[in-house]
Amino acid sequence: MGDMPFRRLVEYYERIEGTSGRLDMISLLSDLFRETPAEIIDKVAYMTLGRVAPEFEDVELGLGEKLVMRAISLATGFPLERIEDKVRELGDAGSAAEWAIENRATRAFFREELTVGRVFDSLRKIAAASGRSSQDVKIRTLSGLLADAEPVEARYIVRIVMGKLRLGVRDMTLLDALAEAFLGSRGRRPALEERYNAYPDIGRIARALALGGEDALSEIRMTLGVPIRPMLAQRLKSPEEILEKMGNRFLAEFKYDGERMQVHVWPDGRVELFSRRLENITHPYPDVVASVREAVGGRAAVLDGECVGINPITGEIRPFQELMHRRRKYGVKKMMEEIPTVIYLFDLLYLDGEEYIQRPLRERRERLAEVVRESEGVKLAEGRIGEWRAEDLERYLEEAVERGTEGLMIKDLDSRYQAGVRGWSWIKLKRSYMSKMVEPVDLVVVGAFYGRGRRAGKYGALLLAAYDPETDSFKTVCKMGTGFSDEELDALPEMLADFRLDHRHPSVVSNIEADVWFTPARVLEVIGDEITLSPVHTCAWGRVKEGAGLAIRFPRFTGRWRTDKSPQDATTEEEILEMYREQLRAISDEG
Ligand code: AMP
């Protein structure tokens, strides 16, 4: 097996640190690659990025300073306090390690020269150590390396192990250098980048090139279980700007506010989920796994989508922060019941052995619609293709926001899936404003909805209304299931029992069918994110826009029952309308 002295690699690192020009850096790196034996070129590539594995493998270094200082002390015989002082003095544990090796009293009689292979394998061992004795393993492995290191080698080992190499080399620079070393010129990078996008493992690409030249590249294909970097979007502020940039024929799609998910499906039903940062996030989302398996059964596919949390009772999309409670190791089942999800799929990247990323979006969307059987938990992102005018786009944006999304994603139908690129083929168009609801409101309880799962038989959400003195009626503004403790939710049925009706109270104006109705009596305090137009709630119906009322977005109970207020003292319809206008004014002031 080929190997090379670690000392040699470190010489390159020192020179790279000494250059500021990108071209000089590329030429140094390509010299390095030419000199490196093919068998270890992947290791050199990872280490140069300060890593020991491709991004998508869950192998993290990033050792804490405490632990590293103990290893330095163990390797050099200096007391820990002395090392701590040096780190403080030099401001960097790497430099402190270099000093300690240089100045140690006892030099090993026999020092084994470090090779790239040995350093890499030890670093992997350090990264992989887990469980009870892992600290011990990490310290001993590291101090073993340091004991054999020359001073400058120690400096770089410590920086890598702490996740702080910072040579300023990024993956695209490495691709440039590989193109120069193996394809004759930096200008050939696109050929590498294309394969890198399908399989984002720079070590694997370096190795293929070093062993088999350009021909070997064609063997690097998208692979189930290996996530590709997600395509990203640019941003514009207005429909007019969009039309200028995109022309007038494109796909406008709802932009859901949740967590990006790349879904890998095997023909035998296995499913894995990857985050925007390529972490494997299968574990916390068994519900997504099960529903995707149902929806795509029997095929090999890679899909792109956005997973949102929904309120199981109201069916409304929940704020992103609440979905983040799902990202946990323990208590997955409980969180799954509390925050059910829907995944909105918007792209198809791979199907039955074929890469789709080079194909136009038009075709990818069509195939996606054929492949996915929609269900409660899996839906296709809602969107429209057409000849757009600015007014239509503005209206569609409004509709998207009314339906609980963040806005629109505008997509070029002829574009390829550009992995990892924030380009102009996707453009996000959010509302030109985001406003805050500053004061809480006092609303009247007019109905309730039964809970599901753990909450079955109890109320999961309340239907709330504002008062209209002119007609002496109550008009709905939101459903609210957030902000209650478990005990408070448990107590609701009894607390409201006296007001319970088996039909809607005549003074309540509602387009929504509640499970249980109440005489308007109890008042509670609610804070929300903002007031939005609503296709269902009846408050201020038709006053701002035909066919729409006003609603409170993301309402939460503040914990205060306003027993001091009668329903006629609640916040009025007129006040809600005024708050909405106030909000618009605040926005136009800002802009
Ligand atoms: P941003 O994070 O603001 O740059 O917006 C881009 C993100 O929007 C993507 O990374 C996705 O997570 C999310 N997103 C939501 N809906 C869509 C959609 N229909 N198409 C693409 N991305 C979407």
Side-chain angles (χ1 to χ4, degrees):
M1 278 289 277
D3 206 336
M4 76 194 253
F6 187 59
R7 172 75 228 208
R8 191 76 190 124
L9 184 59
V10 161
E11 278 165 23
Y12 273 104
Y13 287 175
E14 285 197 285
R15 282 158 69 193
I16 289 167
E17 272 190 318
T19 63
S20 52
R22 195 174 124 84
L23 291 187
D24 294 340
M25 192 185 264
I26 292 169
S27 113
L28 277 170
L29 287 166
S30 78
D31 289 346
L32 167 62
F33 283 135
R34 278 197 210 100
E35 182 178 332
T36 304
E39 293 84 354
I40 55 156
I41 198 169
D42 46 352
K43 300 179 179 176
V44 167
Y46 299 135
M47 273 200 274
T48 304
L49 292 170
R51 312 183 53 92
V52 284
E55 255 180 296
F56 59 83
E57 272 180 34
D58 212 1
V59 182
E60 291 298 334
L61 281 165
L63 257 55
E65 198 170 70
K66 267 255 142 55
L67 214 140
V68 170
M69 291 191 297
R70 278 165 61 196
I72 300 172
S73 155
L74 193 65
T76 58
F78 282 113
L80 187 58
E81 300 74 49
R82 192 72 202 282
I83 304 293
E84 287 170 351
D85 287 345
K86 267 293 159 193
V87 171
R88 221 168 296 131
E89 181 191 326
L90 299 172
D92 158 43
S95 306
E98 184 174 9
W99 171 88
I101 301 286
E102 184 81 61
N103 294 289
R104 68 182 151 182
T106 51
R107 262 158 227 271
F109 176 64
F110 175 73
R111 200 181 65 86
E112 195 181 343
E113 186 189 56
L114 291 180
T115 64
V116 168
R118 175 171 163 212
V119 173
F120 185 86
D121 293 345
S122 300
L123 292 176
R124 286 283 296 208
K125 188 169 164 196
I126 291 171
S130 69
R132 243 183 322 144
S133 56
S134 67
Q135 281 231 345
D136 217 41
V137 173
K138 286 178 202 273
I139 291 176
R140 259 188 289 153
T141 312
L142 179 56
S143 83
L145 271 183
L146 293 176
D148 281 338
E150 291 176 34
V152 34
E153 291 178 323
R155 187 206 314 162
Y156 286 102
I157 289 172
V158 163
R159 286 187 187 163
I160 296 177
V161 105
M162 293 180 74
K164 291 184 177 162
L165 179 62
R166 303 201 185 125
L167 291 178
V169 176
R170 294 193 314 160
D171 46 3
M172 288 304 144
T173 319
L174 276 194
L175 288 180
D176 276 331
L178 287 168
E180 189 161 311
F182 298 109
L183 303 180
S185 105
R186 183 160 62 73
R188 300 290 317 281
R189 182 181 95 187
L192 299 187
E193 204 177 330
E194 211 245 341
R195 287 300 86 202
Y196 181 60
N197 285 340
Y199 197 110
D201 179 346
I202 215 131
R204 163 116 194 250
I205 289 180
R207 208 176 148 95
L209 281 170
L211 288 169
E214 187 165 4
D215 293 346
L217 282 181
S218 61
E219 287 154 28
I220 298 176
R221 315 284 304 161
M222 266 185 88
T223 305
L224 289 177
V226 177
I228 74 170
R229 290 176 310 139
M231 179 162 171
L232 303 169
Q234 285 284 0
R235 162 176 209 156
L236 286 176
K237 288 211 192 79
S238 69
E240 289 77 14
E241 287 174 325
I242 298 269
L243 291 168
E244 206 166 291
K245 195 86 197 174
M246 277 267 185
N248 59 2
R249 190 165 179 81
F250 48 77
L251 165 67
E253 209 169 58
F254 283 11
K255 181 177 191 301
Y256 302 91
D257 189 15
E259 168 153 43
R260 182 82 174 255
M261 272 187 198
Q262 193 176 108
V263 183
H264 290 228
V265 190
W266 279 257
D268 66 1
R270 193 171 132 209
V271 173
E272 283 187 15
L273 310 172
F274 296 93
S275 75
R276 178 193 181 115
R277 300 168 58 192
L278 310 186
E279 306 143 289
N280 191 316
I281 48 167
T282 313
H283 174 74
Y285 292 107
D287 46 349
V288 178
V289 168
S291 49
V292 166
R293 180 181 297 135
E294 270 296 306
V296 190
R299 312 193 73 157
V302 176
L303 310 156
D304 199 355
E306 184 89 355
C307 178
V308 299
I310 55 159
N311 183 322
I313 295 114
T314 63
E316 284 163 359
I317 295 177
R318 295 168 59 152
F320 166 73
Q321 302 86 296
E322 288 179 29
L323 177 71
M324 284 299 93
H325 296 310
R326 289 289 306 264
R327 277 273 209 120
R328 51 162 72 190
K329 217 164 175 174
Y330 306 104
V332 166
K333 193 156 174 291
K334 179 166 172 268
M335 285 322 287
M336 194 169 93
E337 277 176 14
E338 275 176 27
I339 309 178
T341 55
V342 173
I343 183 162
Y344 287 94
L345 296 171
F346 51 75
D347 220 318
L348 174 74
L349 315 183
Y350 174 95
L351 184 65
D352 299 335
E354 297 276 330
E355 282 179 11
Y356 270 63
I357 48 180
Q358 292 86 357
R359 306 194 189 191
L361 174 63
R362 192 189 314 276
E363 186 182 339
R364 302 201 307 273
R365 279 289 300 198
E366 268 167 28
R367 295 293 278 164
L368 178 71
E370 287 164 24
V371 167
V372 174
R373 291 181 292 273
E374 287 188 284
S375 64
E376 208 180 323
V378 179
K379 308 215 183 292
L380 294 173
E382 192 162 331
R384 257 188 231 157
I385 297 173
E387 300 283 340
W388 291 93
R389 292 176 311 161
E391 309 87 89
D392 304 332
L393 197 54
E394 183 72 54
R395 209 165 307 133
Y396 197 47
L397 175 63
E398 254 174 52
E399 184 179 334
V401 173
E402 279 172 39
R403 299 267 302 279
T405 75
E406 265 190 308
L408 296 173
M409 282 296 245
I410 308 300
K411 299 183 175 176
D412 175 356
L413 286 159
D414 297 319
S415 64
R416 311 188 326 160
Y417 189 90
Q418 294 161 288
V421 174
R422 190 181 288 288
W424 291 102
S425 304
W426 287 10
I427 307 174
K428 56 194 166 188
L429 176 62
K430 298 195 200 173
R431 232 166 350 160
S432 48
Y433 55 88
M434 179 65 203
S435 45
K436 272 270 156 273
M437 188 171 157
V438 276
E439 327 151 46
V441 287
D442 299 318
L443 301 175
V444 185
V445 182
V446 297
F449 303 87
Y450 285 119
R452 289 199 326 192
R454 246 167 17 96
R455 307 230 58 83
K458 316 225 172 78
Y459 298 155
L462 299 176
L463 182 61
L464 304 178
Y467 180 57
D468 173 18
E470 208 154 303
T471 56
D472 190 25
S473 64
F474 296 88
K475 314 233 176 117
T476 71
V477 275
C478 62
K479 296 180 197 172
M480 180 178 76
T482 308
F484 297 102
S485 67
D486 278 2
E487 293 73 40
E488 281 169 329
L489 272 182
D490 287 349
L492 282 177
E494 189 168 325
M495 183 167 182
L496 294 164
D498 286 351
F499 312 106
R500 203 172 151 157
L501 303 170
D502 52 12
H503 54 82
R504 182 169 51 78
H505 190 275
S507 72
V508 172
V509 185
S510 175
N511 288 329
I512 296 168
E513 236 354 88
D515 294 333
V516 178
W517 293 104
F518 301 111
T519 306
R522 300 300 302 262
V523 179
L524 44 60
E525 192 180 71
V526 175
I527 183 81
D529 274 9
E530 62 174 329
I531 299 171
T532 56
L533 287 168
S534 159
V536 290
H537 287 291
T538 53
C539 178
W541 187 260
R543 299 276 299 274
V544 178
K545 190 184 157 194
E546 203 177 318
L550 292 178
I552 293 172
R553 186 170 161 95
F554 298 146
R556 302 176 292 281
F557 180 41
T558 63
R560 294 178 65 193
W561 286 94
R562 298 300 306 255
T563 43
D564 54 326
K565 287 198 164 184
S566 77
Q568 280 76 16
D569 297 326
T571 300
T572 63
E573 178 179 44
E574 213 52 43
E575 284 172 314
I576 301 264
L577 184 59
E578 186 44 41
M579 286 168 81
Y580 179 74
R581 292 187 175 135
E582 190 68 36
Q583 220 176 251
L584 292 184
R585 275 197 291 277
I587 293 147
S588 58
D589 285 352
E590 261 170 41

